[in-house]
Amino acid sequence: MNIDHLKSWIGKSEAASDLITPRLVASYEATFAPHLAPYADGEAPLALHWCLAPPISPMAALGPDGHAAKGEFLPPVALPRRMWAGGRIETISALRTGDEVTRRSTIGDVSCKDGRTGPLCFVAVDHELVTARGVALRERHNIVYREAAKPGAEPPPAPAPEEPRPADLTWTVEASPVLLFRYSAITFNSHRIHYDQPYVTGVEGYAELVVHGPIQATLIMNIIATLSGGEPIRLDYRGLAPLIAGEAFQVKAKRLDDGAIAAWTEGADGRVRMEGVSR
């Protein structure tokens, strides 16, 4: 990969706007309830911002994985497999039903390295979400690109748990294909690993459909807000391994001695798939 060419995308920006409609709020609630933090009448549920202003590309502009082809806003990374790696998010004020929200996005960084499974390329995108009342949320979204799956290769396993992690609050969530379909629908996400079983097993090499990274991040944000009583969130989080659909998984949160709250998702095998801390 020509890293200098990819780095030339740093600083590239775009803006997109969307309206928080009652229908979107109702669809979001129906997808995630009862695993949502309490919120005031008229406010939008926490983490609904990931459903706003999704990229809308014509069918002819999609890549073979269902994502929009790279080289427009996102840099033209040659590696074909794209995953949600984690990020950092700060909530400043609540979004509200009826808000027109503008998301201003900028490529913040591009870096490449060799990982356990081959070359990796990380793209960091900085977002600022603004309403008529001002900035509501700031976020850095980290995307990782990997090489194509080798025939017969299995994805690396999630880190083995050293011992059970104690939690103050635990939710159990069914990772059903219906959950994945609904979230893909309300986010206009056509990434095939979330709904196309022959593709995800035959091309990407996963055992089954893959749960969206933002589904896990949404649940992590909401369980933190539930445990904290609605304190502002300043969350740093990262994905450790793909969460495979088909079985229930757990979302857990623990208040730490310094007042921060750690939260994570665990697969049915007890291994952590995504983790984060809000301070």
Side-chain angles (χ1 to χ4, degrees), residues 72-254:
E72 296 180 3
F73 174 62
L74 291 172
V77 178
L79 300 172
R81 304 170 79 193
R82 170 180 168 178
M83 297 294 292
W84 183 289
R88 182 176 65 248
I89 189 163
E90 177 187 8
T91 60
I92 299 167
S93 64
L95 298 172
R96 292 184 163 273
T97 302
D99 275 345
E100 182 173 359
V101 183
T102 297
R103 184 183 63 236
R104 301 166 182 162
S105 304
T106 304
I107 304 296
D109 193 24
V110 180
S111 62
C112 298
K113 69 175 187 178
D114 289 325
R116 290 179 301 161
T117 59
L120 303 171
C121 186
F122 295 88
V123 177
V125 185
D126 295 319
H127 302 290
E128 189 174 70
L129 278 79
V130 182
T131 71
R133 299 180 300 279
V135 177
L137 182 147
R138 292 189 178 96
E139 177 185 12
R140 167 159 282 203
H141 172 204
N142 296 323
I143 304 166
V144 61
Y145 295 91
R146 303 164 53 200
E147 64 184 357
K150 295 179 174 62
E154 295 185 1
E162 296 180 1
E163 59 184 31
R165 299 172 65 173
D168 296 323
L169 181 60
T170 299
W171 291 342
T172 299
V173 181
E174 291 292 334
S176 69
V178 176
L179 171 66
L180 274 58
F181 170 81
R182 282 191 162 195
Y183 194 73
S184 288
I186 61 176
T187 57
F188 204 67
N189 183 343
S190 54
H191 195 184
R192 294 170 66 183
I193 65 171
H194 305 308
Y195 61 86
D196 188 337
Q197 200 268 352
Y199 172 84
V200 74
T201 58
V203 177
E204 297 268 4
Y206 295 103
E208 253 300 342
L209 301 178
V210 178
V211 178
H212 307 61
I215 284 182
Q216 296 181 71
T218 290
L219 293 165
I220 283 174
M221 286 185 67
N222 276 275
I223 201 170
I224 287 172
T226 300
L227 189 60
S228 72
E231 296 173 3
I233 288 177
R234 297 175 181 86
L235 175 67
D236 287 282
Y237 68 101
R238 59 177 184 152
L240 301 178
L243 177 60
I244 303 302
E247 295 183 298
F249 66 97
Q250 292 190 316
V251 189
K252 297 183 177 182
K254 172 73 175 176

Side-chain angles (χ1 to χ4, degrees), residues 7-90:
K7 282 183 174 292
S8 70
W9 256 254
I10 295 174
K12 185 178 178 64
S13 62
E14 68 173 10
S17 297
D18 206 347
L19 186 67
I20 301 180
T21 65
R23 182 180 184 276
L24 175 60
V25 172
S27 299
Y28 184 86
E29 290 175 336
T31 300
F32 285 104
H35 304 115
L36 291 173
Y39 54 95
D41 185 47
E43 292 184 353
L46 190 63
L48 178 131
H49 71 280
W50 280 316
C51 302
L52 297 174
I56 298 177
S57 301
M59 296 293 288
L62 299 179
D65 63 354
H67 269 309
K70 294 165 288 191
E72 296 180 3
F73 174 62
L74 291 172
V77 178
L79 300 172
R81 304 170 79 193
R82 170 180 168 178
M83 297 294 292
W84 183 289
R88 182 176 65 248
I89 189 163
E90 177 187 8

